[in-house]
Amino acid sequence: MISVHELRKVFHDRKRGEVAAVDGLTFDAPAGTVFGLLGPNGAGKTTTLRILSTVFRPTSGRVTVMGHDVVREPHLVRKAIGFLSGDTGVYERLTPREMIGYFGALYGIPPALLKDRQDSLIREFEMESYADTTCGKLSTGMKKKVSIARALVHDPKVIILDEPTSGLDILISRVLVDYVKRAKEAGKCVIYSTHVMAEAEKLCDRVAIIADGRKLAEGTVAELKEQTGSPDLEDAFFRLFDARPDAGKAATA
Amino acid sequence: MIRLPNVLTIFRKEMIDLLRDRRTIFGMVVVPILIYPLLLIMFSQVLASQTERLMTRKYSLVVVGALNAPGLVEHLKTDDSWEITEAAPGSDAASSDTPLLEGAAHVVLVVPAGFLETMQAEKSATVELRFNKAKDESNFALHRAREAVEDYSAQVLRIRLQGKPDGFERPVVADENDIAPPERTSGFHLGRLLAMLLVLMSAVSAFYPAIDMASGEKERGTMETLLVSPALRSEIVFGKYLAVATIAAFTAVLHLTSMGVTFSYFFKNTLGAAKGAGLTFSIRPSSALLVLLPLIPLNLLFSALCLGLSAFARSYKEAMVYLTPVMIVANVASFSALVPGIEFNYALALIPIQNCAMLTVALLSGDWKWGHVLATFASSSVYALVALRWTWSIFQREDVLLRGGADFDWKRWLKTWGSARPGLGTALVAVIAMMALTLTVGPTLQGMKAHRLMLAHQLLIIALPAGIIAMLASLNFRSTFRIRAANPVHLALAPVIAVCALVLLTTLAAWLVDFAFFKKSALEHGEKLIETQKALGGLPTILVFMALLPAVCEEFLFRGIVLSGLRRDLGRWAGIAACGAFFGVAHQVPLVVLIVSLFGMILGWMALHSGSLLVSVVTHAIWNASLLIAQAGKVPRWLLPDKGFPAWPVVTVAALVLPAAIWAFHRARGSDEEELAGDGGATSIS
Ligand SMILES: Nc1ncnc2c1ncn2[C@@H]1O[C@H](COP(=O)(O)OP(=O)(O)O)[C@@H](O)[C@H]1O
Ligand SMILES: [Mg+2]
C-alpha cells in the first residue's frame, strides 16, 4: 500500500546550510499492518510522513501510496490518506462537529452520509459531551481527539499518524490504540511514528528504526530483538543506535 | 479547474469562523457605526463650546490717543463687551505691546494726532489695530474691533452722504450667480474627501480578515491539515479570497453609510447657518449609490493583495509588518484625490488604487463616463488577478507555508557570499533605488555635456545600484544577471523580433497618440530625445551612447536582478509582466510607459527562455538603434511615409513575422536553469 524507495529530502537552512533530513530511506508497508517509524527527535520521521502526505516534495526517490506517486498524483494520494500531523491545531471558533463536517465536505462526502459519519466519530471518540462547544474551550487532549476524528472522517484506507499519543493521558491513548487495532483488522495500512518504544512494541507489526534520516534496521519487533539479542525494543534501539555507522561523526557535529 | 462546491465550503467555513470572532464583529460593525457619530459629537461639542466662549467673552481694548477721537471712543463704549483702558496721553503705539504679548490686553487701537481734523475735512484717516496673532483671544478681539471701526466709519459716511440719493457710494454692483446644480458643487468639495476616505476604508477593511485567514491559519497549525485535504490550492485561495472580500466589502459599505449619515446630519443641523456661506451638502441618492462602484475594484484589489502578503508572512506579526506598507501606499494614493485639476482619463484608469480614488471624485461631481468606470474595473480586476495568482503560487511553496523563523547570521553571510538568489524584496529595492536616484541625482546631472550625461545617468543611476544591491544581498552574479552563453539561434532571432516589435508597437503608439492625454507629453519627450541626439553629434556616436549603452545598463537592472527576483516569488508570467511594467514606468512619459512595458515583457520572456542576458541586450540595442536610425531620417520614405510611422505593408509583414520568430525562438533550446530543472510553479499539480 505504501512504498518508499531511496527517499531523500534536503532542506536549505539559512544557518545550517543543506540539511539532509531524510537520506536514502526505503521501506514498504502493506495493507493490514501497523508500520512503526521509530527514532529520536530530529531523526526525520515527521519529514518522511509529510512527504507521504504530499505536504513536502521529495528531493529525490520514489514514494507511492496505493500505487499513486506523491509527486505526480498528489490529489489521489490526498483522497486516500488520513493524516494527523504532529503539531496539528484545530479551528478555535468551530465546534468539533463543525470541524469534522468541514473536512468531510472537502473530501466530497455527501451531506446525508456525512451526518452519520460525524455522529459515529463523535461516539467512537467519546466526544458527545462537548461536540457542540467551540474548540477554543477544550483541553489539549480533547483537541487532539477532534484532530484525530477529523483525519479519519473519510474512512481512509491509509492512516498516517505522527506521534499521535504525545501529550495524551492513558485513557485517551487507549481509545486511539483501540482504533488503530480495529483499523488494522479492517485491512487498512497504518503508519505510526513515535519515540516511545513501549508503545511501538505493543502496537506495531513492523518497525523501522531511523536516525539522522537513515534506516538502521527494519523488521518485526521479535526479529529486531533477536537480531540484537535484546530483551525489549528499547534495548534493541540503544544497541542499534550506538552501533550506527557514523556514530562518532554525529556526536561531534 | 476549480470545483465550486469546495470553494463554497471553504468560503462558508471562513465566514463562520470570522463571524464568531469578537474582534471581527468589533471591527466590522461596532467601529464603523460608532466611530463617526462619536468623533463628530466630540468634535462639534468642543468646537461649539470653545467658539461660544471666545465669541461672547469680554475683551480688553487699549486705546492709545483716545483724546484724538472722542467720537470713536464714545462709539466703542456703547458696546459693553469691551473693557476699555485709555493709555496715558502722550504714550506711543508700542507702549502697549507688552500687555498684548502677555495676554493682559487683547487688542490695541492707536488713533493718530490730527484724526479729528481729517474727519472734518471729509478725508480718510487711518487708525492702527495692534494684535497678537499667536493668541486666539487676540484674533477674536481683533475681529470685533475691526467690526466696530467699520461700524463707526459707516456712521460717519451716512452723515457725509446726507442729501445724496440712495446707492450714491456704490455706483456699480456685480451680482454673481452660480449655475452648477447644487449636488455638483457639493460633490466636488465633499467628493475629494470622500474619495480619500473610501480608499482608506477599503484598505483597512481587508486588513484583519486577510491576516486571520492566511498567517493566522499558519500560526494555529491548521494550514498543513488544510493542504493535505483534497481541496485544490486554487480552491483554498478562492474560498478565502471570497471571504476576505465579502467581509471587507461589508465593512467598507458600513463605514461609508455611517459616515454619510453622520455628515449629512451634521451639515443639516449643526452647520445650518453655514448654508448662507455657500456650503451645502446635498448628494442625490443615485450619486450616493454610484460611490459604491469604485468600492468594488478597490475591494477586489486590496483583498487579493492583503491575502497574498499575509500568506507570504510567517506569523501574525510578520503579516502586520508586510501589510503596513500597503496601508501607507493606500494613504499616499488616496491623497491624490485631494489634488485639484486632475481630469479622469483612460491612462489614469490604468494606475491602481489612484484610479478608484479619482473615479469617486468624478462620479460625485457628476462629470463621468461609463467607459471610465469600465476601464477602472478592468484594470483593477487584472491587478487583483495578478495578486491572486501570486497568492496561489505562494500556496504552492512548501518553504513559505511551513517555514520556521530564521535570524540574520553575519558569519554565514560572509561564508556563503555570492550564492543567494534574489527575491521579490530584492527586486523591489532595486527598482525603488533606481527611481529614487532618478528623482534626486537625476536633476543634478542635467548640466553635463550630452555624452557625459548619458554615461553618468546609465551607469550611476541604473547599473551601479543594481550591482551594489546584488553585492550586498550576496547574490550569485552568474545566475542573477544571466551571464551565460546564448544559443546562436536566439541571437539570430533577436534582431528580427526587435524590428518587428518596434514596427508593431510604434504603430500602436501612432494610433494612441491622438488621445489628447498622450499627445503633449509624447511630443515633448520626442523633442528632448532629438536635442540629446543633436548634442551627441554623428550617428555612430549616437548609436553607442543612446542605443548600446542604455541597452546594456537597463538590461543589467531590469532583466537581471529585477526579473530574477520577481520571477522567483511571483512565478514566471507574473514576474515577466511585473518586470515589464516596472521597465515601462521608469520611462515616465505615459504613452512611452505603455509601449515600453509591452516591449519589456517581450524582453523578459526572451531573457528567461534563453537564459542569457546577451540575447535581451542585443534585442534592446537593435530596437534602440532602429528607432534612432528612423528618427535620423536614414530610412527610405516608402518605409516610413507618415510622420515617421511605418507604412501598412510593413506593419502587415511585421505582424506575420513576429509570431513566427517568437515561435522559432520558443522552439530553440535555452538555458533557463529553472525550466531545465523542472520549474516549481509549473510542475506542481493542484
Ligand atoms: N521546514 C524545515 N526546514 C528546514 N529544516 C527542517 C524542516 N523540517 C525539518 N527540518 C530538519 O530536518 C530534520 C528532521 O526533522 P523531523 O523530520 O522533524 O524529525 P523528527 O520528526 O524525527 O523529530 C531536523 O534536523 C530538522 O531540523
Ligand atoms: Mg516529529
Side-chain angles (χ1 to χ4, degrees):
Chain A
M1 267 211 177
I2 287 180
S3 148
V4 174
H5 183 74
E6 284 296 324
L7 175 64
R8 243 177 91 78
K9 176 70 185 178
V10 178
F11 288 112
H12 301 271
D13 190 279
R14 261 203 224 173
K15 282 218 173 114
R16 297 177 294 174
E18 308 238 307
V19 180
V22 181
D23 198 1
L25 193 61
T26 301
F27 66 86
D28 274 286
T33 47
V34 179
F35 191 94
L37 280 182
L38 258 70
N41 288 327
K45 305 182 293 291
T46 300
T47 307
T48 307
L49 298 188
R50 279 180 164 162
I51 291 170
L52 276 174
S53 49
T54 76
V55 179
F56 285 166
R57 260 181 289 257
T59 307
S60 66
R62 204 176 123 76
V63 177
T64 59
V65 174
M66 295 181 68
H68 305 301
D69 189 288
V70 292
V71 177
R72 266 177 283 127
E73 301 171 305
H75 51 292
L76 295 176
V77 174
R78 287 179 199 147
K79 270 206 147 86
I81 61 168
F83 175 46
L84 180 74
S85 78
D87 47 8
T88 187
V90 289
Y91 295 114
E92 308 252 303
R93 298 185 292 264
L94 294 191
T95 65
R97 192 187 299 280
E98 284 167 338
M99 272 287 285
I100 299 170
Y102 177 47
F103 283 93
L106 289 181
Y107 278 99
I109 303 173
L113 209 69
L114 182 54
K115 192 151 180 346
D116 287 347
R117 200 62 201 140
Q118 276 167 310
D119 290 340
S120 69
L121 280 169
I122 286 166
R123 224 176 311 117
E124 197 160 1
F125 287 97
E126 295 159 8
M127 304 192 289
E128 290 96 336
S129 59
Y130 53 87
D132 296 304
T133 316
T134 49
C135 292
K137 294 181 192 137
L138 305 183
S139 71
T140 317
M142 292 169 172
K143 283 183 190 164
K144 193 84 171 198
K145 281 208 275 187
V146 176
S147 291
I148 295 167
R150 178 228 78 214
L152 302 171
V153 63
H154 55 303
D155 197 17
K157 295 226 164 55
V158 174
I159 301 168
I160 300 173
L161 304 170
D162 191 4
E163 307 205 8
T165 52
S166 72
L168 296 190
D169 64 28
I170 48 168
L171 287 177
I172 301 178
S173 295
R174 192 180 62 181
V175 176
L176 181 76
V177 167
D178 287 348
Y179 184 91
V180 169
K181 281 182 181 155
R182 258 177 289 133
K184 172 183 126 180
E185 276 151 28
K188 308 202 161 166
C189 172
V190 183
I191 296 240
Y192 195 106
S193 94
T194 183
H195 59 264
V196 185
M197 303 299 155
E199 203 174 280
E201 191 159 5
K202 238 185 328 183
L203 199 61
C204 298
D205 301 307
R206 282 184 82 73
V207 293
I209 292 178
I210 55 175
D212 298 323
R214 260 164 289 193
K215 188 167 79 177
L216 301 181
E218 185 194 328
T220 62
V221 175
E223 279 169 4
L224 289 177
K225 279 196 262 191
E226 196 187 293
Q227 188 187 327
T228 52
S230 314
D232 56 25
L233 197 57
E234 197 164 308
D235 193 57
F237 171 77
F238 285 133
R239 290 187 189 199
L240 285 164
F241 190 75
D242 292 337
R244 71 193 193 281
D246 53 354
K249 210 176 81 195
T252 53
Chain B
M1 189 201 58
I2 291 182
R3 292 161 297 183
L4 194 61
N6 275 355
V7 175
L8 290 180
T9 303
I10 291 164
F11 169 71
R12 254 198 28 230
K13 178 255 150 193
E14 294 297 353
M15 290 301 284
I16 294 174
D17 200 352
L18 265 178
L19 291 179
R20 281 193 193 150
D21 185 359
R22 234 177 279 142
R23 283 170 297 183
T24 317
I25 298 298
F26 187 74
M28 197 172 141
V29 183
V30 181
V31 170
I33 289 183
L34 290 186
I35 192 159
Y36 299 103
L38 282 181
L39 276 179
L40 204 67
I41 288 169
M42 264 165 53
F43 175 72
S44 52
Q45 285 291 327
V46 170
L47 188 75
S49 67
Q50 196 63 15
T51 313
E52 172 101 356
R53 200 177 64 75
L54 286 173
M55 302 238 305
T56 53
R57 64 162 285 177
K58 277 192 164 206
Y59 286 110
S60 94
L61 167 72
V62 177
V63 185
V64 177
L67 294 176
N68 296 333
L72 177 55
V73 173
E74 210 51 46
H75 175 73
L76 287 169
K77 279 183 178 160
T78 56
D79 183 352
D80 62 1
S81 64
W82 285 120
E83 260 166 36
I84 299 181
T85 336
E86 291 177 17
S91 48
D92 68 345
S95 66
S96 314
D97 282 1
T98 317
L100 205 53
L101 283 172
E102 285 166 356
H106 296 121
V107 65
V108 178
L109 173 71
V110 186
V111 186
F115 179 85
L116 223 51
E117 288 76 26
T118 320
M119 285 294 103
Q120 272 153 12
E122 300 203 330
K123 286 191 201 150
S124 180
T126 305
V127 296
E128 188 188 358
L129 287 174
R130 295 174 80 87
F131 70 107
N132 178 2
K133 188 154 192 153
K135 289 202 186 290
D136 282 341
E137 284 95 345
S138 189
N139 284 312
F140 273 85
L142 169 74
H143 189 73
R144 197 182 289 167
R146 191 194 296 134
E147 278 183 356
V149 171
E150 279 167 7
D151 237 30
Y152 181 68
S153 176
Q155 262 180 32
V156 174
L157 184 65
R158 266 199 300 282
I159 296 165
R160 289 184 187 178
L161 286 175
Q162 248 162 25
K164 294 286 176 351
D166 243 14
F168 175 83
E169 82 286 7
R170 291 194 306 160
V172 182
V173 176
D175 197 8
E176 295 166 5
N177 277 315
D178 179 11
I179 57 112
E183 70 267 11
R184 289 210 175 182
T185 46
S186 66
F188 192 69
H189 293 306
L190 209 78
R192 296 185 181 281
L193 189 67
L194 206 61
M196 195 184 92
L197 291 170
L198 195 71
V199 173
L200 287 181
M201 290 305 103
S202 302
V204 171
S205 307
F207 195 95
Y208 178 69
I211 289 185
D212 190 72
M213 259 177 245
S215 44
E217 182 118 36
K218 275 193 218 177
E219 200 151 305
R220 287 189 294 260
T222 45
M223 185 61 100
E224 188 173 0
T225 310
L226 187 60
L227 294 183
V228 172
S229 82
L232 301 179
R233 307 293 202 253
S234 46
E235 291 162 355
I236 297 174
V237 171
F238 260 106
K240 283 176 180 288
Y241 175 60
L242 274 184
V244 176
T246 308
I247 302 263
F250 184 85
T251 315
V253 169
L254 210 58
H255 268 289
L256 270 184
T257 315
S258 169
M259 204 158 63
V261 168
T262 312
F263 276 138
S264 45
Y265 180 82
F266 176 69
F267 272 83
K268 229 183 243 146
N269 296 279
T270 325
L271 279 191
K275 267 198 177 147
L279 236 173
T280 52
F281 179 86
S282 69
I283 287 183
R284 287 170 304 175
S286 59
S287 353
L289 282 181
L290 276 178
V291 182
L292 298 182
L293 274 181
L295 200 62
I296 299 169
L298 271 177
N299 176 256
L300 294 178
L301 184 56
F302 278 126
S303 302
L305 207 58
C306 290
L307 189 64
L309 285 169
S310 160
F312 188 67
R314 273 184 280 236
S315 62
Y316 245 79
K317 260 194 212 155
E318 209 178 289
M320 301 248 184
V321 171
Y322 290 157
L323 283 175
T324 310
V326 173
M327 299 298 132
I328 292 172
V329 168
N331 252 301
V332 172
S334 70
F335 277 130
S336 69
L338 295 177
V339 180
I342 301 178
E343 290 270 315
F344 198 91
N345 57 46
Y346 286 99
L348 193 62
L350 295 180
I351 306 175
I353 303 172
Q354 207 172 3
N355 56 5
C356 297
M358 298 309 299
L359 185 65
T360 315
V361 175
L363 285 171
L364 277 174
S365 72
D367 192 10
W368 58 281
K369 295 198 199 86
W370 277 110
H372 291 160
V373 178
L374 284 181
T376 305
F377 265 63
S379 74
S380 300
S381 308
V382 169
Y383 298 132
L385 276 179
V386 171
L388 273 188
R389 174 49 254 250
W390 177 57
T391 313
W392 176 79
S393 75
I394 289 171
F395 270 77
Q396 305 284 347
R397 283 175 49 185
E398 57 188 46
D399 62 323
V400 174
L401 281 175
L402 299 168
R403 63 187 169 167
D407 297 317
F408 191 72
D409 179 354
W410 280 100
K411 267 191 227 146
R412 170 124 215 106
W413 183 79
L414 280 177
K415 231 187 264 169
T416 58
W417 190 81
S419 66
R421 284 163 26 111
L424 181 65
T426 331
L428 289 180
V429 168
V431 171
I432 291 168
M434 187 274 295
M435 300 227 253
L437 283 174
T438 310
L439 289 176
T440 53
V441 180
T444 64
L445 297 179
Q446 287 308 319
M448 291 184 173
K449 283 217 186 90
H451 50 276
R452 280 220 199 134
L453 175 78
M454 287 301 294
L455 212 60
H457 183 91
Q458 290 293 331
L459 290 179
L460 287 183
I461 294 183
I462 296 178
L464 196 62
I468 291 176
I469 290 167
M471 273 159 56
L472 289 179
S474 97
L475 301 182
N476 182 331
F477 269 64
R478 237 177 103 81
S479 78
T480 304
F481 295 103
R482 296 168 219 292
I483 303 171
R484 280 186 216 97
N487 182 339
V489 180
H490 285 154
L491 280 179
L493 286 167
V496 182
I497 294 179
V499 173
C500 291
L502 181 64
V503 168
L504 292 176
L505 289 174
T506 44
T507 310
L508 176 66
W511 181 64
L512 285 176
V513 82
D514 286 332
F515 284 101
F517 177 75
F518 288 134
K519 198 165 197 164
K520 195 162 150 263
S521 54
L523 290 181
E524 275 169 10
H525 179 68
E527 274 163 22
K528 217 170 119 195
L529 279 184
I530 289 172
E531 245 170 58
T532 319
Q533 283 176 42
K534 275 194 197 134
L536 279 171
L539 193 59
T541 328
I542 293 179
L543 289 183
V544 169
F545 281 96
M546 292 183 74
L548 189 61
L549 178 69
V552 173
C553 293
E554 289 175 8
E555 289 311 299
F556 184 70
L557 170 66
F558 285 102
R559 254 58 63 182
I561 193 167
V562 175
L563 182 61
S564 297
L566 293 176
R567 187 256 174 97
R568 202 191 88 185
D569 281 342
L570 300 185
R572 186 183 180 81
W573 296 109
I576 289 176
C579 177
F582 283 136
F583 181 51
V585 168
H587 287 76
Q588 292 175 359
V589 184
L591 180 62
V592 181
V593 167
L594 187 69
I595 301 299
V596 170
S597 296
L598 293 172
F599 180 52
M601 290 174 201
I602 299 178
L603 284 174
W605 174 75
M606 291 171 77
L608 275 191
H609 181 65
S610 68
S612 166
L613 199 69
L614 187 59
V615 173
S616 67
V617 168
V618 169
T619 316
H620 193 155
I622 301 269
W623 159 290
N624 285 349
S626 317
L627 193 66
L628 290 166
I629 291 171
Q631 279 178 340
K634 296 271 157 68
V635 173
R637 266 200 87 68
W638 58 267
L639 266 176
L640 300 169
D642 176 26
K643 286 182 291 180
F645 290 118
W648 278 111
V650 180
V651 176
T652 317
V653 171
L656 291 173
V657 172
L658 185 62
I662 286 181
W663 182 76
F665 193 98
H666 176 69
R667 289 295 305 261
R669 199 175 159 75
S671 47
D672 181 355
E673 41 183 38
E674 290 186 27
E675 210 165 67
L676 293 178
D679 183 31
T683 51
S684 54
I685 323 78
S686 45

